[in-house]
Amino acid sequence: MTFFNFTLVCLMLATICIQHTFACSCFLAPNFPDRYCSSGFIFRGEVKNETLDRKGNFGFEDKYVYTVKVDKVYKSTELAKEKVNSNDMVQLETPKYGSLCGRPLRVGGDYLISVTPYMVARHSVVMAINTCEWIEEYSRISPADKRNLEDEFECGFD
């Protein structure tokens, strides 16, 4: 094999590998006002079940799908309200892998979950969540943040 052919083969392999390389990068807002105001849907809910939706041969597109019982809604858009069914259940999906910003939830866990408006698709009943969202076990939410949620915090734009 000539040097040129060897170089060409290496370049092709590198291109194939890079094409399937994914990484998660995001910035979680550091404080309550920023987290609250950047969210389109914030609720408290209990995770009822988890399923794995296999999308492809290599697993890069696999997603966990959660059914969550909505106990309390703190903030919502009209589109997000449409995603909550008559039994107060909502479906959330997240990538399987943390390297793809996947945010696994624990079945039986009681969470405060926020969903940014662009993660609520008009054509789907499922909302997407990831590590960039404000998702925290409710017991770990500070008393001050709980009070702000109950007081219907004002964002200052309208």
Coordinates of all heavy atoms in Angstrom, one line a residue, residues 114-154:
S114 N -38.4 21.1 34.7 CA -38.7 22.3 33.8 C -38.4 21.8 32.4 O -37.5 21.0 32.2 CB -37.9 23.5 34.2 OG -36.5 23.3 33.8
V115 N -39.2 22.4 31.5 CA -39.0 22.1 30.1 C -38.9 23.4 29.4 O -39.8 24.2 29.5 CB -40.1 21.2 29.5 CG1 -39.8 20.9 28.1 CG2 -40.3 19.9 30.3
T116 N -37.9 23.7 28.6 CA -37.8 24.9 27.9 C -38.8 24.9 26.7 O -39.1 23.8 26.2 CB -36.4 25.2 27.3 OG1 -35.9 24.0 26.6 CG2 -35.4 25.4 28.5
P117 N -39.3 26.0 26.3 CA -40.3 26.0 25.2 C -39.9 25.3 23.9 O -40.7 24.7 23.3 CB -40.5 27.5 25.0 CG -40.1 28.2 26.2 CD -39.0 27.4 26.8
Y118 N -38.6 25.4 23.5 CA -38.2 24.7 22.3 C -38.2 23.2 22.4 O -38.0 22.5 21.4 CB -36.9 25.3 21.7 CG -35.7 25.0 22.6 CD1 -35.0 23.9 22.4 CD2 -35.3 25.9 23.5 CE1 -33.9 23.6 23.1 CE2 -34.2 25.7 24.3 CZ -33.5 24.5 24.1 OH -32.4 24.2 24.9
M119 N -38.3 22.6 23.6 CA -38.3 21.2 23.8 C -39.8 20.6 23.7 O -40.0 19.4 24.0 CB -37.6 20.8 25.0 CG -36.2 21.2 25.1 SD -35.2 20.5 23.8 CE -34.5 19.2 24.7
V120 N -40.7 21.5 23.5 CA -42.1 21.1 23.4 C -42.5 21.1 22.0 O -42.9 22.2 21.4 CB -43.0 22.0 24.3 CG1 -44.5 21.5 24.2 CG2 -42.6 22.0 25.7
A121 N -42.5 20.0 21.3 CA -42.9 20.0 19.9 C -44.4 19.9 19.6 O -45.1 19.2 20.3 CB -42.2 18.7 19.2
R122 N -44.8 20.7 18.7 CA -46.2 20.8 18.4 C -46.8 19.4 17.9 O -47.9 19.1 18.1 CB -46.5 21.9 17.3 CG -47.9 22.1 17.1 CD -48.1 23.4 16.3 NE -47.6 24.6 16.9 CZ -48.1 25.3 18.0 NH1 -49.2 24.8 18.5 NH2 -47.5 26.3 18.4
H123 N -46.0 18.7 17.1 CA -46.4 17.5 16.5 C -46.3 16.2 17.3 O -46.6 15.1 16.8 CB -45.6 17.3 15.2 CG -44.2 17.1 15.4 ND1 -43.3 18.2 15.6 CD2 -43.4 16.0 15.5 CE1 -42.1 17.7 15.8 NE2 -42.1 16.4 15.7
S124 N -45.9 16.3 18.5 CA -45.6 15.1 19.4 C -46.3 15.3 20.7 O -46.4 16.4 21.3 CB -44.1 14.9 19.5 OG -43.9 13.9 20.4
V125 N -46.7 14.2 21.3 CA -47.2 14.2 22.7 C -46.1 14.1 23.7 O -46.3 14.4 24.9 CB -48.3 13.1 22.9 CG1 -49.5 13.2 22.0 CG2 -47.6 11.7 22.8
V126 N -44.9 13.8 23.2 CA -43.8 13.6 24.1 C -43.0 14.9 24.2 O -42.7 15.5 23.2 CB -42.9 12.5 23.7 CG1 -41.7 12.3 24.6 CG2 -43.7 11.2 23.6
M127 N -42.6 15.3 25.4 CA -41.7 16.5 25.6 C -40.3 16.0 25.8 O -40.1 14.9 26.5 CB -42.2 17.3 26.7 CG -43.4 18.1 26.4 SD -43.9 19.2 27.7 CE -44.7 18.1 28.9
A128 N -39.3 16.7 25.4 CA -37.9 16.3 25.5 C -37.3 17.0 26.7 O -37.6 18.2 27.0 CB -37.1 16.7 24.3
I129 N -36.5 16.3 27.5 CA -35.7 16.8 28.6 C -34.3 16.4 28.4 O -34.0 15.4 27.7 CB -36.2 16.3 30.0 CG1 -36.2 14.8 30.1 CG2 -37.6 16.9 30.2 CD1 -36.5 14.3 31.5
N130 N -33.4 17.2 29.0 CA -32.0 16.8 29.0 C -31.3 17.4 30.2 O -31.9 18.1 31.0 CB -31.3 17.3 27.7 CG -31.5 18.7 27.4 OD1 -31.3 19.6 28.3 ND2 -31.8 19.1 26.2
T131 N -30.0 17.3 30.3 CA -29.2 17.8 31.4 C -29.2 19.3 31.5 O -28.8 19.9 32.5 CB -27.8 17.3 31.4 OG1 -27.2 17.7 30.1 CG2 -27.7 15.8 31.6
C132 N -29.6 20.0 30.4 CA -29.6 21.4 30.4 C -30.9 22.0 31.1 O -31.0 23.2 31.3 CB -29.6 22.0 29.0 SG -28.1 21.3 28.1
E133 N -31.8 21.1 31.4 CA -33.1 21.6 32.0 C -32.9 21.6 33.6 O -32.0 20.9 34.1 CB -34.2 20.6 31.7 CG -34.4 20.2 30.3 CD -34.9 21.3 29.4 OE1 -35.6 22.2 29.9 OE2 -34.6 21.3 28.2
W134 N -33.8 22.3 34.2 CA -33.8 22.3 35.7 C -34.6 21.1 36.1 O -35.9 21.1 36.1 CB -34.4 23.6 36.2 CG -34.4 23.8 37.7 CD1 -33.6 23.2 38.6 CD2 -35.2 24.7 38.4 NE1 -33.9 23.6 39.8 CE2 -34.9 24.5 39.8 CE3 -36.2 25.6 38.1 CZ2 -35.5 25.3 40.8 CZ3 -36.8 26.3 39.1 CH2 -36.4 26.2 40.4
I135 N -33.9 20.0 36.5 CA -34.6 18.8 36.9 C -33.9 18.4 38.2 O -32.7 18.2 38.2 CB -34.4 17.7 35.9 CG1 -35.1 18.1 34.5 CG2 -35.0 16.4 36.4 CD1 -34.8 17.2 33.4
E136 N -34.7 18.4 39.3 CA -34.1 18.1 40.6 C -35.1 17.3 41.4 O -36.3 17.6 41.3 CB -33.7 19.4 41.2 CG -32.7 19.4 42.3 CD -32.2 20.7 42.7 OE1 -32.4 21.7 42.0 OE2 -31.6 20.8 43.8
E137 N -34.6 16.4 42.3 CA -35.5 15.8 43.2 C -36.1 16.9 44.1 O -35.4 17.8 44.5 CB -34.8 14.7 44.0 CG -34.4 13.5 43.2 CD -34.3 12.2 43.9 OE1 -35.2 12.0 44.8 OE2 -33.5 11.4 43.5
Y138 N -37.4 16.8 44.2 CA -38.2 17.8 44.9 C -37.6 18.1 46.3 O -37.6 19.2 46.8 CB -39.7 17.6 44.9 CG -40.4 18.7 45.4 CD1 -40.7 19.8 44.6 CD2 -41.0 18.8 46.7 CE1 -41.4 20.9 45.0 CE2 -41.7 19.9 47.2 CZ -41.9 21.0 46.3 OH -42.6 22.1 46.7
S139 N -37.2 17.0 47.0 CA -36.7 17.1 48.4 C -35.4 17.9 48.4 O -35.0 18.4 49.5 CB -36.5 15.7 49.0 OG -35.5 15.0 48.2
R140 N -34.7 18.1 47.3 CA -33.5 18.9 47.3 C -33.7 20.3 46.8 O -32.7 21.1 46.8 CB -32.5 18.2 46.3 CG -32.2 16.7 46.8 CD -31.2 16.1 46.0 NE -29.9 16.7 46.4 CZ -28.8 16.4 45.9 NH1 -28.7 15.5 45.0 NH2 -27.7 16.9 46.4
I141 N -34.9 20.7 46.5 CA -35.2 22.1 46.2 C -35.1 22.9 47.5 O -35.7 22.6 48.5 CB -36.6 22.3 45.5 CG1 -36.7 21.4 44.3 CG2 -36.9 23.7 45.2 CD1 -35.8 21.8 43.1
S142 N -34.5 24.1 47.4 CA -34.3 24.9 48.6 C -35.7 25.5 49.0 O -36.5 25.7 48.2 CB -33.3 26.1 48.3 OG -33.9 27.0 47.5
P143 N -35.8 25.8 50.3 CA -37.1 26.4 50.8 C -37.4 27.7 50.1 O -38.5 28.0 49.8 CB -36.8 26.6 52.3 CG -35.8 25.5 52.7 CD -34.9 25.4 51.4
A144 N -36.4 28.5 49.8 CA -36.6 29.8 49.1 C -37.1 29.6 47.7 O -38.0 30.3 47.3 CB -35.3 30.6 49.1
D145 N -36.6 28.6 47.0 CA -37.1 28.3 45.6 C -38.5 27.7 45.7 O -39.3 28.1 44.8 CB -36.1 27.3 44.9 CG -34.8 28.0 44.5 OD1 -34.7 29.2 44.6 OD2 -33.9 27.2 44.0
K146 N -38.8 26.9 46.7 CA -40.2 26.4 46.8 C -41.1 27.6 47.1 O -42.2 27.6 46.5 CB -40.2 25.4 48.0 CG -39.6 24.1 47.6 CD -39.7 23.1 48.8 CE -39.0 21.8 48.5 NZ -38.9 20.9 49.7
R147 N -40.7 28.6 47.9 CA -41.6 29.7 48.1 C -41.8 30.5 46.9 O -42.9 31.0 46.5 CB -41.0 30.6 49.2 CG -41.3 30.2 50.6 CD -40.9 31.2 51.7 NE -39.5 31.7 51.6 CZ -38.5 31.1 52.1 NH1 -38.7 29.9 52.8 NH2 -37.3 31.5 52.0
N148 N -40.7 30.7 46.1 CA -40.8 31.5 44.8 C -41.7 30.8 43.9 O -42.5 31.4 43.1 CB -39.4 31.7 44.2 CG -38.6 32.8 44.9 OD1 -39.2 33.7 45.4 ND2 -37.3 32.6 44.8
L149 N -41.7 29.4 43.8 CA -42.6 28.7 42.9 C -44.0 28.9 43.3 O -44.9 29.1 42.5 CB -42.2 27.2 42.9 CG -41.0 26.8 42.2 CD1 -40.6 25.4 42.6 CD2 -41.2 26.9 40.7
E150 N -44.3 28.9 44.6 CA -45.7 29.0 45.1 C -46.2 30.4 44.9 O -47.4 30.7 44.7 CB -45.8 28.6 46.6 CG -45.5 27.2 46.8 CD -46.6 26.2 46.2 OE1 -47.7 26.7 46.0 OE2 -46.3 25.1 46.0
D151 N -45.3 31.4 44.9 CA -45.7 32.8 44.8 C -45.9 33.3 43.4 O -46.1 34.5 43.1 CB -44.6 33.7 45.5 CG -44.6 33.6 47.0 OD1 -45.6 33.0 47.5 OD2 -43.6 33.9 47.6
E152 N -45.8 32.4 42.4 CA -46.0 32.8 41.0 C -45.0 33.9 40.6 O -45.4 35.0 40.3 CB -47.4 33.1 40.7 CG -48.4 32.0 40.9 CD -49.8 32.4 40.6 OE1 -50.1 33.4 39.9 OE2 -50.7 31.6 41.0
F153 N -43.8 33.6 40.6 CA -42.7 34.5 40.3 C -42.9 35.3 39.0 O -43.4 34.7 38.1 CB -41.4 33.7 40.3 CG -40.2 34.6 40.2 CD1 -39.6 35.1 41.3 CD2 -39.6 34.8 38.9 CE1 -38.5 35.9 41.2 CE2 -38.4 35.6 38.8 CZ -37.9 36.1 39.9
E154 N -42.7 36.6 39.0 CA -42.8 37.4 37.8 C -41.5 37.6 37.1 O -40.5 37.9 37.7 CB -43.3 38.8 38.2 CG -44.8 38.8 38.7 CD -45.8 38.5 37.6 OE1 -45.5 38.9 36.4 OE2 -46.8 37.9 38.0

